[in-house]
């Protein structure tokens, strides 16, 4: 099916003409939802219609939407829930009008919203509400609590249907035949869907009430029966009034309800219940479903074929036989009279046949003329409709053109925003690249610094080695110098000794020569005697002289060798000294170059550190500025958050403030620790920005005054954060940057969030286990105290009261004592079951850890225990007042019902995690039934005592006059009216109190936290 055809049918069905919606257009819309398996096309077309400015248009939209909810695809309900808020606002807007279509639209929209919520909450129910008895039982999951709640929801659903019924009838002038006018049919047409819904809701309500009466005491369901009685009377009256309208007689067969409502106190009355069945004829004669006759079927353009003209007409008239030919003069004299008569009759018959044929032609022409006139009228009506559609299409074309212009402008704005977003992304990417490059440069600088440190260590080691080598060379040089000096001294001493020896030898030689001379002088005298001695001495002296000469030559050669060795050592020492000096100069130059390079790298490293810090500060500023801009962004209004999440964000921001301060102090003390400061600044920017956004989102969920205060707090927080980052951008302002103001602003936001947190969240998880034990112990103590007080009141009543009053008091207090004993058994069974659940589910964890892990279940136990203890205390107070004659029996009955509800809550909270085969669970259920029976006994005893006491005060009118009786009758009527008015007001107040109780209970136990948060 073409989507454009569906859109055209939607626009034709929903228009500003005050006529009923045509069935063919509505059927096309329904088929369209099944074709696309949803309602996207329908809502796309409806969102372009001015529903808020035209009441008739909104009324017809409600009619078509009701049909789609009933007969459309099941996904229509899910797709329509997205527009629930718009429908609610529209209903509130039309509700300001007190008459006309505006009030009807408000009621109809409330009905549609209630219908969607009912089907979303109970997905087993189809849109047309057609279910079998087995499916109805499955919808309640065989749980009496589910059936109880389902009945209340059906009452609310049926109440909205009846309000629309009454609203339409009250807006029509029933003294005139409004059902045959187009305006009346426009208002009555949606009631067909209402009748279909009401018949099913009435049937299901009756069956559910019979099922509830089979499981619960009759007194517990008194409110249900009263509400059903009221709705039964209204529905019966409306069905009767609708069946008498001419408009509905042609379209739908409305069932009639029985004279009296079913008696739910008698179980056999269920077999007497007959489900109302609404019958819609297969061929409806309604204006919107009339069959459109096609032109070819309406006018028969085939003209009857006339017989061809007979060429022998003369022969047909006067005969062809020569015997009877009137112009045959040979036989004319023999023609008889009866032949003429026969001829006349034949001619008369033919003339009559021709007249009849002429009359049939005339009638056929009249029929064709009338058919053509009718067709012309229909064509004129269709032409008028086409003209209207053309004007409507022209208006829609203008509207679409305007919308197209708006879309173009929006697209241009979107393109501009896209370009700006692209530019921002490009800048962010460039900043990211720059940050990456700075990070890489910083890494390179750190690596280079590490390499230089290693080179410095190597050079230092080499210098140390060179210095050690130079020291060794110096030591060797000194040693060599000392050795040379020692050798020179030794050579000098040896030369001196040799000179001394030479001189000694020379002296000895001289002395020898002197002795020789003396000997020569004495030779003459003793030449012969001493010739041999002298020759021996001469030989000895010659040998000694040779030895001395040889020794002198050796000493001289050794002196020459020692001199050469000394020169060689001196030359090597000079070369080594020169090499050491050159090496020392080279090492000194390398040290100077390294120091200059280290200084340049250190300056570059300091600049890179400060640049990275400035980049981080600028990014943090942009994050906070973007968060502040989102506060005033209209698209951010739909975002919501919880106070608990806001408090967690504030606490994380405060922790980051301490880290930022310590990182800043460390950076000021040693500028090499910039990485920790950069990380702290970045994390601080993200956390503070998230706190601002979450604070703004939380302000959308709180009252106006608190929302304004929270918005101002987060704005102040953003301003202080920008001021702090502004100081940190400059070298001179970094030491003076103080985070105290920002921390104070965050603490203010945290305090506001703590005030907005639900009361149920104030409890620490670790205290839940202790609180469960405390509440159960307090409940047991309250029940024990209540039983003791009842026993004391019973003894006091026996001592003071007599007669009927003592009998009534004993019966009431005895039933209250039984109820307290039943509650005590229920609490003990609940303790045993809870202990079993904890032991089976906690594993190796402690009991407190199990309670903290299952906090929702634990809070349910705490709430139920509080309710039971409070109910017991209040019931004892009410019983005391009744026994003293100062209270009301109704208070005691209400307290009994409240205790029954509280114990049911405690049972439900206890068995939600229990094993279905547990013996403790079976004992708990038996104890619950005992509490229910005891509650019924208290209510029955109270009612019986009330009736006995009231029967004692029998009214006596025997002594009153007629005037006094009339006066008393008027006073009684006034009092009845006042009590009825007060009863209605108290019922409304009770409903509001229950709503408020559910809201406070939901806030205290955190029912709506998961839904609030995302937005």
């Amino acid at each position: 099916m073409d989507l454009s055809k569906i859109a055209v049918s939607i626009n034709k069905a929903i228009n500003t003409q005050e006529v009923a919606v045509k069935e063919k257009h509505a059927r096309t819309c329904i088929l369209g939802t099944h074709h696309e398996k949803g309602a996207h096309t329908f809502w796309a077309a409806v969102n372009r219609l001015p529903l808020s400015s035209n009441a008739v248009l909104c009324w017809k939209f409600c009619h078509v939407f009701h049909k789609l909810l009933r007969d459309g695809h099941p996904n229509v309900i899910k797709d329509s829930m997205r527009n629930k808020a718009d429908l609610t606002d529209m209903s509130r807007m039309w509700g300001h009008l007190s008459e006309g279509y505006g009030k009807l639209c408000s009621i109809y929209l409330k009905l549609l919203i209630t219908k969607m919520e009912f089907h979303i909450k109970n997905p087993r129910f189809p849109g047309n509400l057609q279910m079998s008895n087995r499916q109805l039982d499955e919808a309640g999951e065989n749980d009496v609590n589910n059936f109880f709640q389902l009945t209340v929801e059906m009452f609310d659903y049926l109440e909205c249907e009846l309000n629309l019924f009454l609203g339409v009838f009250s807006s029509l002038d029933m003294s005139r035949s409004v059902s045959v006018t187009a305006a009346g049919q426009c208002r009555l047409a949606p009631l067909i869907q209402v009748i279909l819904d009401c018949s099913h809701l009435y049937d299901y309500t009756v069956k559910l009430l019979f099922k509830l009466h089979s499981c619960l005491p009759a007194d517990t369901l008194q409110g249900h029966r009263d509400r059903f009685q009221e709705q039964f009377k209204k529905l019966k009256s409306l069905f009767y009034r609708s069946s008498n309208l001419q408009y509905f007689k042609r379209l739908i067969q409305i069932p009639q309800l029985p004279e009296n409502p079913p008696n739910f106190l008698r179980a056999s009355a269920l077999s007497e219940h007959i489900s109302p069945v609404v019958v819609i004829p297969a061929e409806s004669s309604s204006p919107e479903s009339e069959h459109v006759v096609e032109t070819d079927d309406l006018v028969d353009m085939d003209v009857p074929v006339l017989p061809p003209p007979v060429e022998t007409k003369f022969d047909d008239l006067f005969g062809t036989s020569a015997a009877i030919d009137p112009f045959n003069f040979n036989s004319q004299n023999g023609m008889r009279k009866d032949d003429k008569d026969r001829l006349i009759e034949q001619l008369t018959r033919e003339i009559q046949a021709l007249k009849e044929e002429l009359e049939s032609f005339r009638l056929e022409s009249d029929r064709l003329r009338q058919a053509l006139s009718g067709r012309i009228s229909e064509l004129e009506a269709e032409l008028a409709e086409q003209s209207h559609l053309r004007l409507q299409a022209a208006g829609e074309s203008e509207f679409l053109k305007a919308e197209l212009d708006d879309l173009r402008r929006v697209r241009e704005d979107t393109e501009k925003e896209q370009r700006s977003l692209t530019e921002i992304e490009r800048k962010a990417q460039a900043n990211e690249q720059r940050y990456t490059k700075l990070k890489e440069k910083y890494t390179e600088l750190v690596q280079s610094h590490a390499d230089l440190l290693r080179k410095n260590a190597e050079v230092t080691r080499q210098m140390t080695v060179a210095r050690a080598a130079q020291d060794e060379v110096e030591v060797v040089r000194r040693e060599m110098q000392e050795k040379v000096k020692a050798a020179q001294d030794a050579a000098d001493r040896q030369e001196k000794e040799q000179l001394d020896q030479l001189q000694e030898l020379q002296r000895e030689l001289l002395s020898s020569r002197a002795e020789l001379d003396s000997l020569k002088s004495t030779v003459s005298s003793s030449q012969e005697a001493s010739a041999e001695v002298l020759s021996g001495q001469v030989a000895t002296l010659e040998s000694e002289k040779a030895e001395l000469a040889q020794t002198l030559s050796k000493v001289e050669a050794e002196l020459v060798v020692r001199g050469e060795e000394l020169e060689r050592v001196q030359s090597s020492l000079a070369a080594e000294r020169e090499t050491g000096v050159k090496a020392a100069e080279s090492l000194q130059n390398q040290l100077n170059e390294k120091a200059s390079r280290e200084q340049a790298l250190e300056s570059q490293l300091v600049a890179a550190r400060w640049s990275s810090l400035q980049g981080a500060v600028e990014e943090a500023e942009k994050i906070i500025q973007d968060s502040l801009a989102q506060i005033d962004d209209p698209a951010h209004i739909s975002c919501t958050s919880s106070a608990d999440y806001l408090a967690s964000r504030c606490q994380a921001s405060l922790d980051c403030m301490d880290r930022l301060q310590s990182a800043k102090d460390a950076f000021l003390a040693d500028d090499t620790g910039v990485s920790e400061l950069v990380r702290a600044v970045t994390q601080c920017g993200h956390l503070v920005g998230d706190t601002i956004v979450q604070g703004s989102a939380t302000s959308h969920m709180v009252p106006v005054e608190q929302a304004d205060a929270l918005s101002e707090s987060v704005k102040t927080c953003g301003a202080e954060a920008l001021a702090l980052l502004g100081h940190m951008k400059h070298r001179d302002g970094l030491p003076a940057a103080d985070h105290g103001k920002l921390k104070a602003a965050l603490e203010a936001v945290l305090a506001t969030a703590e005030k907005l947190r639900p009361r149920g969240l104030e409890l620490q998880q670790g205290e839940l286990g202790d609180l469960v034990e405390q509440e159960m112990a307090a409940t047991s103590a309250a029940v024990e105290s209540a039983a003791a007080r009842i026993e004391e009141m019973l003894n006091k009543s026996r001592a003071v009261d007599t007669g009927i009053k003592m009998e009534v008091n004993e019966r009431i207090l005895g039933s209250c004592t039984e109820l307290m004993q039943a509650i005590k058994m229920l609490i003990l069974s609940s303790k045993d079951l809870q202990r079993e659940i904890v032991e089976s589910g906690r594993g190796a964890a402690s009991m407190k850890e199990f309670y903290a892990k299952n906090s929702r279940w634990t809070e349910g136990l705490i709430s139920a225990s509080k309710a039971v203890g409070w109910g017991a205390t209040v019931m004892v107070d009410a019983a005391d007042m009744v026994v003293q004659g100062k209270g009301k029996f109704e208070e005691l009955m209400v307290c009994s019902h409240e205790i029954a509800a509280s114990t049911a809550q405690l049972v439900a909270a206890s068995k939600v995690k229990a094993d279905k085969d547990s013996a403790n669970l079976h004992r708990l259920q038996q104890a619950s039934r005992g509490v229910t029976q005891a509650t019924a006994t208290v209510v029955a005893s109270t009612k019986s005592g009330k009736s006995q006491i009231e029967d004692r005060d029998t009214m006596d009118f025997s002594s009153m006059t007629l005037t006094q009786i009339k006066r008393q009758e008027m006073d009684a009527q006034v009092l009845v009216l006042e009590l009825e008015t007060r009863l209605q007001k108290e019922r409304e107040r009770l409903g509001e109190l229950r709503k408020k109780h559910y809201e406070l209970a939901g806030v205290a136990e955190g029912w709506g936290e998961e839904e609030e948060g995302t937005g």
Side-chain angles (χ1 to χ4, degrees):
M1 181 178 289
D2 191 5
L3 296 179
S4 60
K5 184 178 179 182
I6 299 174
V8 171
S9 298
I10 293 172
N11 291 325
K12 287 184 178 181
I14 306 174
N15 53 42
T16 57
Q17 294 181 357
E18 195 174 359
V19 295
V21 176
K22 289 189 177 182
E23 187 67 25
K24 60 180 181 180
H25 300 323
R27 189 181 301 111
T28 303
C29 297
I30 294 172
L31 293 177
T33 61
H34 288 280
H35 174 72
E36 66 171 346
K37 294 181 176 55
H40 301 290
T41 303
F42 174 75
W43 282 108
V46 167
N47 288 332
R48 294 195 296 266
L49 299 177
L51 300 179
S52 300
S53 59
N54 193 310
V56 177
L57 193 68
C58 183
W59 176 255
K60 299 182 78 172
F61 154 72
C62 294
H63 185 191
V64 175
F65 185 38
H66 197 172
K67 281 179 172 287
L68 294 184
L69 292 178
R70 280 187 53 82
D71 302 325
H73 194 272
N75 290 335
V76 171
I77 299 175
K78 297 178 182 178
D79 295 341
S80 302
M81 283 300 293
R82 304 169 185 168
N83 300 273
K84 176 186 172 184
D86 297 334
L87 296 178
T88 304
D89 296 338
M90 196 184 307
S91 173
R92 190 181 300 110
M93 187 271 294
W94 285 117
H96 295 297
L97 301 180
S98 59
E99 60 183 8
Y101 279 101
K103 182 179 180 181
L104 295 180
C105 289
S106 177
I107 299 174
Y108 208 164
L109 288 170
K110 290 180 182 177
L111 168 61
L112 296 177
I113 294 170
T114 304
K115 183 177 180 66
M116 289 192 296
E117 291 176 345
F118 176 81
H119 288 291
I120 290 295
K121 193 173 183 179
N122 304 281
R124 295 178 183 267
F125 284 83
N128 55 9
L129 295 174
Q130 293 181 0
M131 295 181 68
S132 62
N133 293 334
R134 182 178 60 82
Q135 292 173 336
L136 185 62
D137 293 337
E138 292 176 354
E141 300 178 354
N142 294 325
D143 189 351
V144 66
N145 295 320
N146 294 339
F147 285 123
F148 191 93
Q149 183 63 28
L150 185 59
T151 307
V152 175
E153 294 173 0
M154 284 192 175
F155 279 146
D156 297 337
Y157 192 175
L158 186 58
E159 188 72 27
C160 294
E161 301 274 5
L162 295 175
N163 289 337
L164 180 61
F165 228 133
L166 293 172
V168 172
F169 277 171
S170 62
S171 67
L172 296 174
D173 186 4
M174 304 306 292
S175 62
R176 296 185 295 119
S177 299
V178 294
S179 63
V180 298
T181 63
Q185 292 177 1
C186 182
R187 299 193 184 193
L188 292 173
L191 295 186
I192 296 176
Q193 311 299 320
V194 176
I195 292 171
L196 294 171
D197 288 344
C198 289
S199 63
H200 292 298
L201 291 174
Y202 168 76
D203 183 31
Y204 299 154
T205 305
V206 172
K207 294 176 181 177
L208 290 177
L209 283 176
F210 273 112
K211 187 178 292 294
L212 288 175
H213 278 79
S214 66
C215 302
L216 298 176
D219 295 330
T220 305
L221 300 172
Q222 182 63 42
H224 281 53
R225 289 198 301 274
D226 295 340
R227 193 172 183 184
F228 177 81
Q229 296 279 353
E230 181 182 356
Q231 292 186 353
F232 174 81
K233 294 178 182 178
K234 292 181 181 179
L235 187 61
K236 180 180 179 182
S237 174
L238 293 172
F239 274 9
Y240 178 75
R241 293 174 65 183
S242 301
S243 62
N244 293 329
L245 292 177
Q246 187 66 29
Y247 177 71
F248 290 122
K249 289 181 179 179
R250 298 182 296 111
L251 299 177
I252 189 171
Q253 183 178 347
I254 302 175
Q256 296 299 323
L257 300 183
E259 289 295 329
N260 297 316
N263 185 8
F264 300 110
L265 302 178
R266 184 166 57 88
S268 61
L270 178 61
S271 60
E272 301 174 1
H273 169 67
I274 301 176
S275 300
V277 179
V278 180
V279 179
I280 298 179
E283 295 294 333
S284 179
S285 60
S286 62
E288 65 269 20
S289 62
E290 287 183 354
H291 179 65
V292 180
V293 182
E294 299 294 337
T295 305
D296 295 338
D297 299 332
L298 182 63
V299 181
D300 187 6
M301 300 303 294
D302 295 333
V303 181
V305 179
L306 297 177
V310 182
E311 296 178 355
T312 60
K313 187 175 183 182
F314 185 83
D315 295 336
D316 293 338
L317 293 176
F318 298 101
T320 58
S321 176
I324 61 174
D325 188 356
F327 296 97
N328 189 356
F329 297 99
N330 295 325
S331 62
Q332 186 175 8
N333 293 328
M335 186 175 60
R336 297 186 299 271
K337 184 177 180 180
D338 53 355
D339 295 334
K340 292 181 179 179
D341 294 336
R342 189 168 57 255
L343 180 60
I344 291 171
E345 290 176 358
Q346 181 182 357
L347 292 174
T348 303
R349 285 194 301 272
E350 291 179 359
I351 291 171
Q352 186 65 31
L354 291 173
K355 286 183 178 178
E356 291 176 357
E357 187 176 358
L358 181 61
E359 183 66 22
S360 65
F361 278 131
R362 187 178 62 79
L363 292 175
E364 182 67 22
S365 63
D366 290 340
R367 187 182 67 81
L368 292 175
R369 182 177 57 77
Q370 292 176 358
L372 290 173
S373 299
R375 180 58 181 167
I376 290 171
S377 300
E378 290 183 359
L379 290 175
E380 289 177 351
E382 187 174 355
L383 179 61
E385 184 178 0
Q386 293 295 332
S387 300
H388 174 71
L389 291 177
R390 182 179 60 80
L391 294 176
Q392 185 177 358
E396 291 179 357
S397 176
E398 293 295 331
F399 176 74
L400 291 176
K401 286 180 181 179
E403 188 174 0
L404 181 60
D405 294 336
D406 294 339
L407 289 176
R408 286 175 179 172
R409 288 193 296 271
V410 171
R411 186 182 66 181
E412 292 176 357
D413 296 339
T414 305
E415 290 177 354
K416 291 180 181 179
E417 292 177 357
Q418 188 67 27
R419 287 195 296 271
S420 62
L421 180 60
T422 305
E423 184 67 21
I424 292 172
E425 291 179 352
R426 186 183 62 78
K427 291 182 178 178
Q429 188 175 4
N431 290 331
E432 185 69 21
Q433 293 177 356
R434 186 177 65 180
Y435 176 74
T436 305
K437 290 180 180 178
L438 289 173
K439 187 176 181 181
E440 293 175 355
K441 186 66 176 178
Y442 174 72
T443 305
E444 292 177 359
L445 291 175
V446 171
Q447 187 66 28
S448 177
H449 181 66
D451 295 339
L452 289 176
L453 289 176
R454 286 194 294 271
K455 290 181 180 179
N456 186 16
E458 184 66 22
V459 170
T460 303
R461 186 178 63 78
Q462 292 178 359
M463 285 290 297
T464 304
V465 173
R467 285 171 182 169
Q470 187 176 3
D471 293 339
E472 290 178 358
V473 169
E474 188 69 23
V475 170
V476 171
R477 186 178 63 81
R478 285 197 298 269
E479 289 178 354
M480 291 299 295
Q481 287 178 355
E482 290 176 355
K483 287 182 180 180
V484 169
K485 187 176 181 181
Q488 288 178 353
D489 293 339
D492 292 340
R493 285 195 303 271
Q494 191 173 3
E495 184 179 3
K496 188 177 180 180
E497 289 176 356
Q498 290 176 356
L499 290 174
D500 292 338
Q501 290 177 2
L502 182 61
Q503 290 176 1
E504 183 67 24
L505 290 173
Q506 288 177 356
R507 282 193 301 270
E508 289 179 357
L509 181 59
L510 291 175
S511 63
S512 296
R513 285 177 179 177
E515 288 178 358
L516 181 58
D517 290 338
S518 64
L519 287 175
K520 284 178 176 184
S521 62
T522 60
V523 161
S524 54
S525 59
S526 61
Q527 184 176 6
E528 295 177 355
S530 62
E532 293 177 359
V533 176
L534 290 172
S535 61
Q537 289 180 352
V538 169
T540 303
L541 290 173
E542 287 292 333
S543 62
E544 289 180 358
K545 180 180 180 181
E547 290 178 359
L548 290 174
Q550 186 179 0
T551 304
L552 181 61
S553 62
K554 289 181 180 180
V555 170
E556 289 178 353
E558 187 177 358
L559 287 175
V560 171
V561 172
R562 292 290 179 88
E564 293 176 357
E565 185 179 359
L566 180 60
E567 291 178 357
R568 188 171 59 255
V569 170
Q570 287 179 350
S571 61
S572 65
L573 287 176
E576 288 180 0
R577 187 183 297 110
E578 185 177 359
T579 304
V581 170
K582 291 180 179 180
E585 292 178 353
S586 176
L587 290 175
Q588 188 64 35
N589 293 331
Q590 289 180 1
L591 288 176
N592 294 333
E593 291 178 0
K594 175 181 171 295
S596 62
R597 191 182 302 110
E598 284 184 353
Q599 187 175 3
L601 290 176
E602 187 67 25
S603 61
Q604 292 179 2
L605 184 60
V606 171
R609 289 169 183 168
W610 185 251
S611 177
S612 62
L613 178 60
Q614 282 186 329
V617 171
E618 291 176 357
E619 287 298 324
E621 283 184 339
K622 290 180 180 178
I623 292 171
I624 295 175
Q625 289 172 356
D626 180 65
S627 301
L628 291 174
Q630 288 186 16
I631 297 177
D632 300 326
D633 189 359
H636 183 64
I637 296 177
S638 60
C639 298
T640 58
S641 180
S642 63
D644 186 31
Y645 185 68
L646 175 60
S648 66
R649 294 292 87 195
C650 289
Q651 189 61 46
S653 300
L654 288 172
D655 296 339
C656 184
M657 286 295 103
D658 298 334
R659 180 185 174 189
L660 177 64
Q661 183 65 25
S662 61
K664 188 192 75 171
D665 295 339
F667 179 74
L668 292 177
D670 183 11
D671 59 354
T672 58
V674 68
S675 58
E676 182 65 23
L677 182 58
V678 169
R679 285 193 291 269
V681 169
T682 306
Q683 185 182 11
C684 178
H686 280 289
L687 290 176
V688 174
D690 192 16
T691 302
I692 293 171
V693 173
Q694 296 302 326
S696 176
T698 305
S699 66
H700 300 157
M701 300 293 295
V702 300
V704 178
E705 295 180 356
Q706 297 177 350
D708 294 340
L710 184 58
S711 299
E712 291 298 328
S713 298
V714 296
K715 288 181 180 178
T716 303
C717 178
E720 293 297 337
L722 291 176
L724 176 62
L725 293 175
H727 285 295
M728 296 181 67
K729 287 174 63 177
H730 305 286
R731 291 178 182 269
D732 299 335
L734 182 61
D738 185 15
H739 72 295
K741 295 182 179 179
L742 177 57
K743 191 172 183 181
L746 287 172
E747 290 175 351
V749 176
L750 179 60
T752 305
E754 291 292 340
K755 293 179 181 178
L756 297 176
R757 291 180 67 185
R759 291 190 300 274
L761 300 177
E762 296 175 0
L763 188 64
Q764 297 296 328
Q765 295 291 341
E767 302 175 4
L768 287 175
D770 296 336
L771 189 58
V772 171
E773 298 297 332
Q774 294 174 5
E775 289 299 333
M776 294 300 292
T779 303
S780 300
V783 173
E784 292 288 347
S785 176
R789 286 187 60 189
I790 291 174
E791 187 67 26
E792 181 182 355
M793 286 188 291
L794 183 59
N795 295 330
K796 187 182 297 183
S797 175
R798 288 172 180 172
V800 177
D801 299 327
T802 58
I804 295 176
K805 185 171 180 60
M806 184 181 69
E807 180 182 353
V808 170
N809 292 341
E810 286 183 351
R811 190 184 302 118
I812 293 175
L813 294 176
S815 60
C816 290
T817 303
E818 294 177 358
L819 178 58
M820 291 299 139
Q821 295 297 327
I823 293 174
K824 187 187 301 182
M825 294 300 297
L826 177 68
I827 292 174
L828 294 176
S829 301
S830 176
K831 286 183 177 180
D832 295 337
L833 181 59
Q834 291 171 24
R835 191 177 300 109
E836 178 184 347
I837 292 171
V838 173
E839 292 297 330
S840 62
R842 68 185 178 91
S846 63
M847 183 178 296
K848 291 184 179 180
E849 292 176 351
F850 178 81
Y851 281 126
K853 181 179 179 181
N854 301 273
S855 59
R856 290 283 181 262
W857 177 67
T858 306
E859 291 172 0
L861 288 177
I862 294 171
S863 176
S865 301
K866 288 182 178 179
V868 171
W870 177 82
T873 304
V874 173
M875 193 193 75
V876 172
D877 294 337
D880 190 10
M881 297 300 292
V882 169
V883 170
Q884 294 178 8
K886 300 178 182 179
K888 298 179 180 179
F889 290 94
E890 288 79 3
E891 293 181 358
L892 189 57
M893 288 188 285
V894 170
C895 292
S896 302
H897 291 310
E898 186 65 28
I899 288 179
S902 301
T903 54
Q905 181 184 357
L906 180 60
V907 171
S910 298
K911 74 177 185 179
V912 69
K913 288 185 175 293
D915 187 5
K916 63 180 181 180
D917 299 329
S918 174
N920 289 325
L921 177 61
H922 182 65
R923 287 195 294 271
L924 178 64
Q925 291 175 344
Q926 288 182 345
S928 176
R929 286 192 287 270
V931 171
T932 303
Q933 293 175 0
T935 303
T937 303
V938 171
V939 174
S941 301
T942 305
K943 285 186 176 181
S944 176
K946 179 181 179 183
S947 62
Q948 286 183 354
I949 293 177
E950 288 178 351
D951 291 341
R952 189 179 63 179
D953 299 334
T954 306
M955 291 179 289
D956 185 11
F957 302 120
S958 60
S959 62
M960 298 178 66
T961 63
L962 177 61
T963 304
Q964 292 175 343
I965 291 176
K966 187 66 176 177
R967 179 66 180 176
Q968 292 289 337
E969 179 183 358
M970 293 176 64
D971 294 340
Q973 290 178 354
V974 171
L975 182 60
V976 167
L977 292 175
E978 290 178 353
L979 292 176
E980 288 178 350
T981 303
R982 184 179 177 185
L983 176 62
Q984 183 65 26
K985 291 182 179 179
E986 290 298 326
R987 282 178 175 171
E988 294 176 356
R989 183 170 177 268
L990 177 60
E992 295 297 329
L993 288 173
R994 284 177 176 172
K995 290 181 182 178
K996 190 64 178 177
H997 175 262
Y998 293 155
E999 292 177 2
L1000 294 177
V1003 171
E1005 299 187 9
W1007 293 345
E1009 289 181 3
E1010 297 180 358
E1011 299 178 358
E1012 295 174 1
T1014 97

